[in-house]
PDB file of all heavy atoms in Angstrom:
ATOM      1  N   SER A 979       3.985 -27.015  -5.916  1.00 94.00           N
ATOM      2  CA  SER A 979       4.292 -25.803  -5.172  1.00 94.00           C
ATOM      3  C   SER A 979       3.004 -25.246  -4.579  1.00 94.00           C
ATOM      4  O   SER A 979       1.993 -25.134  -5.278  1.00 94.00           O
ATOM      5  CB  SER A 979       4.938 -24.746  -6.082  1.00 94.00           C
ATOM      6  OG  SER A 979       5.070 -23.511  -5.413  1.00 94.00           O
ATOM      7  N   ARG A 980       3.054 -24.903  -3.300  1.00 95.00           N
ATOM      8  CA  ARG A 980       1.903 -24.294  -2.626  1.00 95.00           C
ATOM      9  C   ARG A 980       2.097 -22.793  -2.439  1.00 95.00           C
ATOM     10  O   ARG A 980       1.343 -22.144  -1.724  1.00 95.00           O
ATOM     11  CB  ARG A 980       1.684 -24.956  -1.269  1.00 95.00           C
ATOM     12  CG  ARG A 980       1.250 -26.415  -1.339  1.00 95.00           C
ATOM     13  CD  ARG A 980       1.081 -26.992   0.046  1.00 95.00           C
ATOM     14  NE  ARG A 980       0.174 -26.185   0.858  1.00 95.00           N
ATOM     15  CZ  ARG A 980       0.068 -26.291   2.194  1.00 95.00           C
ATOM     16  NH1 ARG A 980       0.840 -27.148   2.847  1.00 95.00           N
ATOM     17  NH2 ARG A 980      -0.780 -25.539   2.863  1.00 95.00           N
ATOM     18  N   GLY A 981       3.087 -22.237  -3.087  1.00 95.00           N
ATOM     19  CA  GLY A 981       3.343 -20.809  -2.959  1.00 95.00           C
ATOM     20  C   GLY A 981       4.443 -20.530  -1.959  1.00 95.00           C
ATOM     21  O   GLY A 981       4.954 -21.422  -1.282  1.00 95.00           O
ATOM     22  N   VAL A 982       4.814 -19.274  -1.864  1.00 97.00           N
ATOM     23  CA  VAL A 982       5.928 -18.852  -1.016  1.00 97.00           C
ATOM     24  C   VAL A 982       5.687 -19.245   0.437  1.00 97.00           C
ATOM     25  O   VAL A 982       4.602 -19.023   0.990  1.00 97.00           O
ATOM     26  CB  VAL A 982       6.134 -17.328  -1.107  1.00 97.00           C
ATOM     27  CG1 VAL A 982       7.209 -16.872  -0.140  1.00 97.00           C
ATOM     28  CG2 VAL A 982       6.507 -16.935  -2.533  1.00 97.00           C
ATOM     29  N   TYR A 983       6.721 -19.844   1.051  1.00 97.00           N
ATOM     30  CA  TYR A 983       6.627 -20.203   2.469  1.00 97.00           C
ATOM     31  C   TYR A 983       7.587 -19.325   3.271  1.00 97.00           C
ATOM     32  O   TYR A 983       8.766 -19.224   2.953  1.00 97.00           O
ATOM     33  CB  TYR A 983       7.005 -21.670   2.679  1.00 97.00           C
ATOM     34  CG  TYR A 983       6.974 -22.074   4.137  1.00 97.00           C
ATOM     35  CD1 TYR A 983       5.780 -22.435   4.745  1.00 97.00           C
ATOM     36  CD2 TYR A 983       8.145 -22.069   4.905  1.00 97.00           C
ATOM     37  CE1 TYR A 983       5.741 -22.787   6.090  1.00 97.00           C
ATOM     38  CE2 TYR A 983       8.114 -22.419   6.248  1.00 97.00           C
ATOM     39  CZ  TYR A 983       6.908 -22.783   6.832  1.00 97.00           C
ATOM     40  OH  TYR A 983       6.877 -23.121   8.164  1.00 97.00           O
ATOM     41  N   ARG A 984       7.056 -18.692   4.300  1.00 96.00           N
ATOM     42  CA  ARG A 984       7.879 -17.856   5.171  1.00 96.00           C
ATOM     43  C   ARG A 984       7.879 -18.433   6.583  1.00 96.00           C
ATOM     44  O   ARG A 984       6.829 -18.749   7.133  1.00 96.00           O
ATOM     45  CB  ARG A 984       7.363 -16.414   5.193  1.00 96.00           C
ATOM     46  CG  ARG A 984       7.589 -15.657   3.894  1.00 96.00           C
ATOM     47  CD  ARG A 984       7.102 -14.214   4.003  1.00 96.00           C
ATOM     48  NE  ARG A 984       7.456 -13.423   2.846  1.00 96.00           N
ATOM     49  CZ  ARG A 984       6.726 -13.353   1.729  1.00 96.00           C
ATOM     50  NH1 ARG A 984       5.603 -14.057   1.644  1.00 96.00           N
ATOM     51  NH2 ARG A 984       7.116 -12.608   0.713  1.00 96.00           N
ATOM     52  N   GLU A 985       9.055 -18.557   7.149  1.00 97.00           N
ATOM     53  CA  GLU A 985       9.174 -19.072   8.505  1.00 97.00           C
ATOM     54  C   GLU A 985       8.625 -18.071   9.524  1.00 97.00           C
ATOM     55  O   GLU A 985       8.610 -16.858   9.283  1.00 97.00           O
ATOM     56  CB  GLU A 985      10.647 -19.337   8.837  1.00 97.00           C
ATOM     57  CG  GLU A 985      11.284 -20.437   8.030  1.00 97.00           C
ATOM     58  CD  GLU A 985      12.740 -20.653   8.396  1.00 97.00           C
ATOM     59  OE1 GLU A 985      13.314 -19.813   9.136  1.00 97.00           O
ATOM     60  OE2 GLU A 985      13.298 -21.650   7.934  1.00 97.00           O
ATOM     61  N   LYS A 986       8.241 -18.581  10.672  1.00 97.00           N
ATOM     62  CA  LYS A 986       7.846 -17.715  11.772  1.00 97.00           C
ATOM     63  C   LYS A 986       9.114 -17.208  12.446  1.00 97.00           C
ATOM     64  O   LYS A 986       9.919 -18.011  12.944  1.00 97.00           O
ATOM     65  CB  LYS A 986       6.987 -18.475  12.780  1.00 97.00           C
ATOM     66  CG  LYS A 986       6.520 -17.602  13.938  1.00 97.00           C
ATOM     67  CD  LYS A 986       5.654 -18.391  14.900  1.00 97.00           C
ATOM     68  CE  LYS A 986       5.203 -17.513  16.068  1.00 97.00           C
ATOM     69  NZ  LYS A 986       4.370 -18.285  17.031  1.00 97.00           N
ATOM     70  N   PRO A 987       9.343 -15.916  12.472  1.00 98.00           N
ATOM     71  CA  PRO A 987      10.599 -15.385  13.033  1.00 98.00           C
ATOM     72  C   PRO A 987      10.766 -15.736  14.507  1.00 98.00           C
ATOM     73  O   PRO A 987       9.805 -15.747  15.278  1.00 98.00           O
ATOM     74  CB  PRO A 987      10.457 -13.871  12.841  1.00 98.00           C
ATOM     75  CG  PRO A 987       9.427 -13.706  11.766  1.00 98.00           C
ATOM     76  CD  PRO A 987       8.483 -14.851  11.943  1.00 98.00           C
ATOM     77  N   ALA A 988      12.007 -16.003  14.895  1.00 98.00           N
ATOM     78  CA  ALA A 988      12.301 -16.270  16.299  1.00 98.00           C
ATOM     79  C   ALA A 988      12.197 -14.986  17.118  1.00 98.00           C
ATOM     80  O   ALA A 988      11.915 -15.014  18.309  1.00 98.00           O
ATOM     81  CB  ALA A 988      13.697 -16.864  16.432  1.00 98.00           C
ATOM     82  N   GLU A 989      12.476 -13.853  16.487  1.00 97.00           N
ATOM     83  CA  GLU A 989      12.469 -12.514  17.093  1.00 97.00           C
ATOM     84  C   GLU A 989      13.619 -12.307  18.075  1.00 97.00           C
ATOM     85  O   GLU A 989      14.325 -11.314  18.011  1.00 97.00           O
ATOM     86  CB  GLU A 989      11.121 -12.218  17.753  1.00 97.00           C
ATOM     87  CG  GLU A 989       9.969 -12.191  16.741  1.00 97.00           C
ATOM     88  CD  GLU A 989       8.657 -11.814  17.372  1.00 97.00           C
ATOM     89  OE1 GLU A 989       8.619 -11.615  18.616  1.00 97.00           O
ATOM     90  OE2 GLU A 989       7.663 -11.729  16.630  1.00 97.00           O
ATOM     91  N   ARG A 990      13.788 -13.253  19.010  1.00 96.00           N
ATOM     92  CA  ARG A 990      14.920 -13.180  19.946  1.00 96.00           C
ATOM     93  C   ARG A 990      15.565 -14.547  20.039  1.00 96.00           C
ATOM     94  O   ARG A 990      14.890 -15.569  20.004  1.00 96.00           O
ATOM     95  CB  ARG A 990      14.462 -12.730  21.335  1.00 96.00           C
ATOM     96  CG  ARG A 990      13.942 -11.303  21.399  1.00 96.00           C
ATOM     97  CD  ARG A 990      13.484 -10.939  22.808  1.00 96.00           C
ATOM     98  NE  ARG A 990      14.582 -10.993  23.778  1.00 96.00           N
ATOM     99  CZ  ARG A 990      14.702 -11.921  24.727  1.00 96.00           C
ATOM    100  NH1 ARG A 990      13.818 -12.899  24.824  1.00 96.00           N
ATOM    101  NH2 ARG A 990      15.713 -11.884  25.574  1.00 96.00           N
ATOM    102  N   LEU A 991      16.900 -14.567  20.185  1.00 97.00           N
ATOM    103  CA  LEU A 991      17.636 -15.818  20.340  1.00 97.00           C
ATOM    104  C   LEU A 991      18.000 -15.994  21.806  1.00 97.00           C
ATOM    105  O   LEU A 991      18.740 -15.186  22.375  1.00 97.00           O
ATOM    106  CB  LEU A 991      18.904 -15.813  19.485  1.00 97.00           C
ATOM    107  CG  LEU A 991      18.689 -15.755  17.972  1.00 97.00           C
ATOM    108  CD1 LEU A 991      20.026 -15.691  17.247  1.00 97.00           C
ATOM    109  CD2 LEU A 991      17.878 -16.954  17.488  1.00 97.00           C
ATOM    110  N   THR A 992      17.457 -17.035  22.410  1.00 95.00           N
ATOM    111  CA  THR A 992      17.707 -17.300  23.824  1.00 95.00           C
ATOM    112  C   THR A 992      18.545 -18.569  23.971  1.00 95.00           C
ATOM    113  O   THR A 992      18.780 -19.301  23.015  1.00 95.00           O
ATOM    114  CB  THR A 992      16.380 -17.455  24.581  1.00 95.00           C
ATOM    115  OG1 THR A 992      15.619 -18.523  23.976  1.00 95.00           O
ATOM    116  CG2 THR A 992      15.570 -16.165  24.514  1.00 95.00           C
ATOM    117  N   ASN A 993      18.980 -18.822  25.202  1.00 95.00           N
ATOM    118  CA  ASN A 993      19.746 -20.027  25.541  1.00 95.00           C
ATOM    119  C   ASN A 993      21.037 -20.160  24.725  1.00 95.00           C
ATOM    120  O   ASN A 993      21.439 -21.259  24.354  1.00 95.00           O
ATOM    121  CB  ASN A 993      18.896 -21.286  25.354  1.00 95.00           C
ATOM    122  CG  ASN A 993      17.662 -21.290  26.239  1.00 95.00           C
ATOM    123  OD1 ASN A 993      17.727 -20.866  27.390  1.00 95.00           O
ATOM    124  ND2 ASN A 993      16.551 -21.755  25.703  1.00 95.00           N
ATOM    125  N   LEU A 994      21.666 -19.028  24.458  1.00 97.00           N
ATOM    126  CA  LEU A 994      22.973 -19.044  23.803  1.00 97.00           C
ATOM    127  C   LEU A 994      24.070 -19.003  24.860  1.00 97.00           C
ATOM    128  O   LEU A 994      23.869 -18.476  25.961  1.00 97.00           O
ATOM    129  CB  LEU A 994      23.132 -17.839  22.876  1.00 97.00           C
ATOM    130  CG  LEU A 994      22.128 -17.679  21.735  1.00 97.00           C
ATOM    131  CD1 LEU A 994      22.466 -16.431  20.932  1.00 97.00           C
ATOM    132  CD2 LEU A 994      22.103 -18.901  20.845  1.00 97.00           C
ATOM    133  N   THR A 995      25.230 -19.560  24.527  1.00 97.00           N
ATOM    134  CA  THR A 995      26.369 -19.431  25.424  1.00 97.00           C
ATOM    135  C   THR A 995      26.853 -17.985  25.402  1.00 97.00           C
ATOM    136  O   THR A 995      26.503 -17.213  24.490  1.00 97.00           O
ATOM    137  CB  THR A 995      27.514 -20.367  25.003  1.00 97.00           C
ATOM    138  OG1 THR A 995      28.035 -19.918  23.737  1.00 97.00           O
ATOM    139  CG2 THR A 995      27.034 -21.811  24.872  1.00 97.00           C
ATOM    140  N   ALA A 996      27.657 -17.630  26.373  1.00 97.00           N
ATOM    141  CA  ALA A 996      28.180 -16.260  26.429  1.00 97.00           C
ATOM    142  C   ALA A 996      29.000 -15.945  25.174  1.00 97.00           C
ATOM    143  O   ALA A 996      28.903 -14.839  24.620  1.00 97.00           O
ATOM    144  CB  ALA A 996      29.037 -16.084  27.683  1.00 97.00           C
ATOM    145  N   ARG A 997      29.791 -16.913  24.716  1.00 97.00           N
ATOM    146  CA  ARG A 997      30.597 -16.698  23.508  1.00 97.00           C
ATOM    147  C   ARG A 997      29.706 -16.529  22.276  1.00 97.00           C
ATOM    148  O   ARG A 997      29.982 -15.704  21.393  1.00 97.00           O
ATOM    149  CB  ARG A 997      31.562 -17.857  23.306  1.00 97.00           C
ATOM    150  CG  ARG A 997      32.669 -17.948  24.339  1.00 97.00           C
ATOM    151  CD  ARG A 997      33.605 -19.106  24.038  1.00 97.00           C
ATOM    152  NE  ARG A 997      34.286 -18.892  22.768  1.00 97.00           N
ATOM    153  CZ  ARG A 997      34.755 -19.874  22.022  1.00 97.00           C
ATOM    154  NH1 ARG A 997      34.581 -21.145  22.374  1.00 97.00           N
ATOM    155  NH2 ARG A 997      35.397 -19.612  20.891  1.00 97.00           N
ATOM    156  N   GLN A 998      28.638 -17.291  22.205  1.00 98.00           N
ATOM    157  CA  GLN A 998      27.719 -17.157  21.076  1.00 98.00           C
ATOM    158  C   GLN A 998      27.017 -15.806  21.103  1.00 98.00           C
ATOM    159  O   GLN A 998      26.870 -15.158  20.068  1.00 98.00           O
ATOM    160  CB  GLN A 998      26.698 -18.294  21.093  1.00 98.00           C
ATOM    161  CG  GLN A 998      27.259 -19.647  20.703  1.00 98.00           C
ATOM    162  CD  GLN A 998      26.249 -20.762  20.859  1.00 98.00           C
ATOM    163  OE1 GLN A 998      25.324 -20.679  21.675  1.00 98.00           O
ATOM    164  NE2 GLN A 998      26.414 -21.828  20.078  1.00 98.00           N
ATOM    165  N   GLN A 999      26.594 -15.381  22.277  1.00 98.00           N
ATOM    166  CA  GLN A 999      25.943 -14.073  22.399  1.00 98.00           C
ATOM    167  C   GLN A 999      26.876 -12.956  21.964  1.00 98.00           C
ATOM    168  O   GLN A 999      26.475 -12.039  21.230  1.00 98.00           O
ATOM    169  CB  GLN A 999      25.492 -13.849  23.851  1.00 98.00           C
ATOM    170  CG  GLN A 999      24.320 -14.722  24.279  1.00 98.00           C
ATOM    171  CD  GLN A 999      23.978 -14.533  25.750  1.00 98.00           C
ATOM    172  OE1 GLN A 999      24.786 -14.023  26.541  1.00 98.00           O
ATOM    173  NE2 GLN A 999      22.795 -14.950  26.130  1.00 98.00           N
ATOM    174  N   ASP A1000      28.125 -13.028  22.403  1.00 98.00           N
ATOM    175  CA  ASP A1000      29.104 -12.009  22.018  1.00 98.00           C
ATOM    176  C   ASP A1000      29.322 -12.006  20.507  1.00 98.00           C
ATOM    177  O   ASP A1000      29.408 -10.935  19.894  1.00 98.00           O
ATOM    178  CB  ASP A1000      30.442 -12.258  22.728  1.00 98.00           C
ATOM    179  CG  ASP A1000      30.379 -11.949  24.204  1.00 98.00           C
ATOM    180  OD1 ASP A1000      29.425 -11.261  24.619  1.00 98.00           O
ATOM    181  OD2 ASP A1000      31.280 -12.394  24.939  1.00 98.00           O
ATOM    182  N   ARG A1001      29.422 -13.190  19.940  1.00 98.00           N
ATOM    183  CA  ARG A1001      29.683 -13.266  18.498  1.00 98.00           C
ATOM    184  C   ARG A1001      28.489 -12.771  17.696  1.00 98.00           C
ATOM    185  O   ARG A1001      28.667 -12.089  16.674  1.00 98.00           O
ATOM    186  CB  ARG A1001      30.021 -14.711  18.108  1.00 98.00           C
ATOM    187  CG  ARG A1001      30.532 -14.853  16.677  1.00 98.00           C
ATOM    188  CD  ARG A1001      31.738 -13.988  16.425  1.00 98.00           C
ATOM    189  NE  ARG A1001      32.293 -14.205  15.087  1.00 98.00           N
ATOM    190  CZ  ARG A1001      32.928 -13.280  14.392  1.00 98.00           C
ATOM    191  NH1 ARG A1001      33.099 -12.073  14.901  1.00 98.00           N
ATOM    192  NH2 ARG A1001      33.407 -13.561  13.183  1.00 98.00           N
ATOM    193  N   VAL A1002      27.284 -13.101  18.107  1.00 98.00           N
ATOM    194  CA  VAL A1002      26.091 -12.591  17.433  1.00 98.00           C
ATOM    195  C   VAL A1002      26.089 -11.069  17.463  1.00 98.00           C
ATOM    196  O   VAL A1002      25.820 -10.408  16.451  1.00 98.00           O
ATOM    197  CB  VAL A1002      24.800 -13.150  18.074  1.00 98.00           C
ATOM    198  CG1 VAL A1002      23.580 -12.362  17.599  1.00 98.00           C
ATOM    199  CG2 VAL A1002      24.616 -14.625  17.726  1.00 98.00           C
ATOM    200  N   SER A1003      26.413 -10.495  18.612  1.00 98.00           N
ATOM    201  CA  SER A1003      26.445  -9.031  18.730  1.00 98.00           C
ATOM    202  C   SER A1003      27.476  -8.428  17.791  1.00 98.00           C
ATOM    203  O   SER A1003      27.219  -7.408  17.141  1.00 98.00           O
ATOM    204  CB  SER A1003      26.753  -8.630  20.179  1.00 98.00           C
ATOM    205  OG  SER A1003      25.730  -9.061  21.048  1.00 98.00           O
ATOM    206  N   GLN A1004      28.645  -9.041  17.700  1.00 98.00           N
ATOM    207  CA  GLN A1004      29.690  -8.548  16.806  1.00 98.00           C
ATOM    208  C   GLN A1004      29.245  -8.595  15.343  1.00 98.00           C
ATOM    209  O   GLN A1004      29.429  -7.627  14.592  1.00 98.00           O
ATOM    210  CB  GLN A1004      30.961  -9.383  16.973  1.00 98.00           C
ATOM    211  CG  GLN A1004      31.657  -9.208  18.303  1.00 98.00           C
ATOM    212  CD  GLN A1004      32.775 -10.222  18.497  1.00 98.00           C
ATOM    213  OE1 GLN A1004      33.110 -10.979  17.572  1.00 98.00           O
ATOM    214  NE2 GLN A1004      33.346 -10.273  19.688  1.00 98.00           N
ATOM    215  N   LEU A1005      28.661  -9.723  14.951  1.00 98.00           N
ATOM    216  CA  LEU A1005      28.236  -9.876  13.559  1.00 98.00           C
ATOM    217  C   LEU A1005      27.088  -8.930  13.218  1.00 98.00           C
ATOM    218  O   LEU A1005      27.052  -8.364  12.117  1.00 98.00           O
ATOM    219  CB  LEU A1005      27.822 -11.325  13.297  1.00 98.00           C
ATOM    220  CG  LEU A1005      28.948 -12.358  13.371  1.00 98.00           C
ATOM    221  CD1 LEU A1005      28.383 -13.770  13.309  1.00 98.00           C
ATOM    222  CD2 LEU A1005      29.964 -12.143  12.245  1.00 98.00           C
ATOM    223  N   CYS A1006      26.175  -8.761  14.156  1.00 98.00           N
ATOM    224  CA  CYS A1006      25.044  -7.850  13.908  1.00 98.00           C
ATOM    225  C   CYS A1006      25.522  -6.415  13.735  1.00 98.00           C
ATOM    226  O   CYS A1006      25.037  -5.683  12.863  1.00 98.00           O
ATOM    227  CB  CYS A1006      24.047  -7.931  15.063  1.00 98.00           C
ATOM    228  SG  CYS A1006      23.095  -9.458  15.123  1.00 98.00           S
ATOM    229  N   GLU A1007      26.488  -6.016  14.546  1.00 98.00           N
ATOM    230  CA  GLU A1007      27.001  -4.656  14.447  1.00 98.00           C
ATOM    231  C   GLU A1007      27.822  -4.466  13.173  1.00 98.00           C
ATOM    232  O   GLU A1007      27.697  -3.445  12.494  1.00 98.00           O
ATOM    233  CB  GLU A1007      27.867  -4.344  15.669  1.00 98.00           C
ATOM    234  CG  GLU A1007      28.430  -2.930  15.665  1.00 98.00           C
ATOM    235  CD  GLU A1007      29.232  -2.624  16.917  1.00 98.00           C
ATOM    236  OE1 GLU A1007      29.306  -3.487  17.811  1.00 98.00           O
ATOM    237  OE2 GLU A1007      29.804  -1.508  16.990  1.00 98.00           O
TER     238      GLU A1007
END
């Protein structure tokens, strides 16, 4: 073990389909 590993956040999700964008918004809310 080299200790806790944290990913680099994407911060924003791009190149999503319109349906994916809508669903992400629904789930986030």
Side-chain angles (χ1 to χ4, degrees):
S979 172
R980 293 179 54 195
V982 175
Y983 178 83
R984 290 182 173 86
E985 294 180 349
K986 181 179 179 181
E989 297 184 358
R990 294 179 62 251
L991 296 177
T992 58
N993 299 321
L994 301 180
T995 67
R997 292 182 64 205
Q998 288 175 333
Q999 289 176 342
D1000 289 344
R1001 190 56 175 150
V1002 166
S1003 297
Q1004 291 171 7
L1005 293 171
C1006 288
E1007 181 177 357

